[in-house]
Amino acid sequence: MIHLENAQFAWPNEHAVIEIKNFSINKGEKVFLKGSSGSGKTTLLSLITGIQTVQSGLLVVRGLELKKLKPHKRDLFRGDHIGYIFQQFNLLPWLSVEDNILAPILFSKVKRQKENGHHHEKVAELLNELSLDVDIKKQARNLSIGQQQRVAVARALIGNPEIIIADEPTSALDGDRRNDFMNLLFSECEKRDSTLLVVSHDSTIASRFNRVEELENINGGFHV
Ligand SMILES: Nc1ncnc2c1ncn2[C@@H]1O[C@H](COP(=O)(O)OP(=O)(O)OP(=O)(O)O)[C@@H](O)[C@H]1O
Ligand SMILES: [Mg+2]
């Protein structure tokens, strides 16, 4: 589902932050990628989701070499097939909780069809499973950080994407909320056999994954 080979990326005027010789994630696999702050986790996710593109080497997601697609095609690809929980959440602050969660199905016919007209029920279901008891008409900017993170999680799961990518998804959650989140994440993934990649330095959630990798072990492979 995700394959990198000799993939390299450097931010402008910097040394390469990503140099991955070989790394793959199979369909339906649930992978936890650990790495220290500044090691390139968010950068790697921005490549896999097509926000950035590799400068050399191969990065294939769902059979497509992303750097060969035009930027708007990469945006469509991400919108249709990926649920991305951003490290900074990236909610639209002036929109309500409900409109933030529904935004992906507004922009993607693929996700809309998968919800099959039941998207309002799905919003209620996701919020319930995440123990997020807020007025769905409330603006996102007026939520606590932990509440915003759960809205970001619900937004990533709506439309049942085949690939779920999460960047430090539990950073603002306490122990109980963290368990709710992990239960929901794994039950949603299992329903659809979704492929899951979570990057974090929170090792407490690692035990539920099929595979745990250290970014340091797969990155920088060009020099060993
Ligand atoms: N937009 C950017 N422009 C220039 N350099 C960047 C940019 N984003 C990240 N970097 C640099 O790339 C390196 C990796 O950053 P990245 O955000 O991928 O790390 P991370 O592993 O996600 O860290 P954290 O755990 O703190 O979120 C850092 O040295 C950072 O300064
Ligand atoms: Mg990061």
Side-chain angles (χ1 to χ4, degrees):
M1 192 57 103
I2 299 170
H3 179 64
L4 292 100
E5 211 174 296
N6 297 327
Q8 191 162 20
F9 177 84
W11 291 104
N13 308 317
E14 305 262 354
H15 297 296
V17 55
I18 297 296
E19 285 183 312
I20 295 180
K21 203 166 180 179
N22 212 310
F23 179 63
S24 296
I25 300 179
N26 294 325
K27 182 175 181 335
E29 213 177 1
K30 289 154 189 67
V31 176
F32 181 84
L33 188 59
K34 242 177 101 177
S36 52
S37 181
S39 61
K41 299 183 297 298
T42 300
T43 304
L44 175 61
L45 297 188
S46 72
L47 296 170
I48 292 172
T49 54
I51 293 168
Q52 304 287 340
T53 50
V54 292
Q55 284 139 358
S56 61
L58 192 65
L59 169 53
V60 178
V61 181
R62 203 178 173 271
L64 286 176
E65 192 176 353
L66 294 185
K67 76 174 174 199
K68 294 200 170 148
L69 301 181
K70 296 217 162 70
H72 77 279
K73 291 276 184 200
R74 290 201 306 272
D75 291 342
L76 281 176
F77 176 79
R78 180 170 57 253
D80 283 345
H81 304 294
I82 297 180
Y84 190 2
I85 304 166
F86 292 88
Q87 187 167 19
Q88 309 286 352
F89 318 147
N90 292 8
L91 298 179
L92 296 160
W94 304 98
L95 287 190
S96 69
V97 166
E98 183 178 39
D99 289 343
N100 266 284
I101 297 172
L102 290 175
I105 68 164
L106 213 64
F107 292 110
S108 163
K109 198 172 160 194
V110 172
K111 285 186 179 170
R112 194 157 56 242
Q113 283 174 342
K114 284 195 192 163
E115 290 303 346
N116 199 17
H118 297 293
H119 42 276
H120 291 290
E121 291 93 319
K122 182 65 173 278
V123 171
E125 197 184 305
L126 289 168
L127 293 180
N128 181 42
E129 290 184 48
L130 288 164
S131 305
L132 185 59
D133 186 17
V134 293
D135 176 3
I136 57 170
K137 299 291 175 202
K138 194 168 176 172
Q139 285 182 337
R141 69 193 177 109
N142 293 330
L143 299 175
S144 77
I145 299 295
Q147 290 171 337
Q148 288 180 40
Q149 187 157 43
R150 283 175 283 161
V151 172
V153 167
R155 182 183 58 181
L157 294 176
I158 201 144
N160 305 309
E162 299 138 273
I163 304 172
I164 296 168
I165 303 279
D167 196 347
E168 301 282 1
T170 57
S171 59
L173 305 183
D174 58 42
D176 287 346
R177 300 297 90 80
R178 197 174 296 184
N179 278 335
D180 291 341
F181 160 72
M182 289 300 288
N183 290 338
L184 176 64
L185 187 63
F186 275 78
S187 70
E188 287 292 314
C189 284
E190 259 140 42
K191 260 189 234 167
R192 304 275 162 181
D193 200 24
S194 305
T195 306
L196 174 66
L197 173 60
V198 174
V199 304
S200 183
H201 31 231
D202 177 11
S203 306
T204 63
I205 59 171
S207 64
R208 304 171 76 147
F209 290 78
N210 300 137
R211 181 146 67 98
V212 179
E213 298 271 5
E214 297 267 354
L215 182 58
E216 280 82 355
N217 291 340
I218 57 172
N219 196 17
F222 291 8
H223 304 299
V224 292

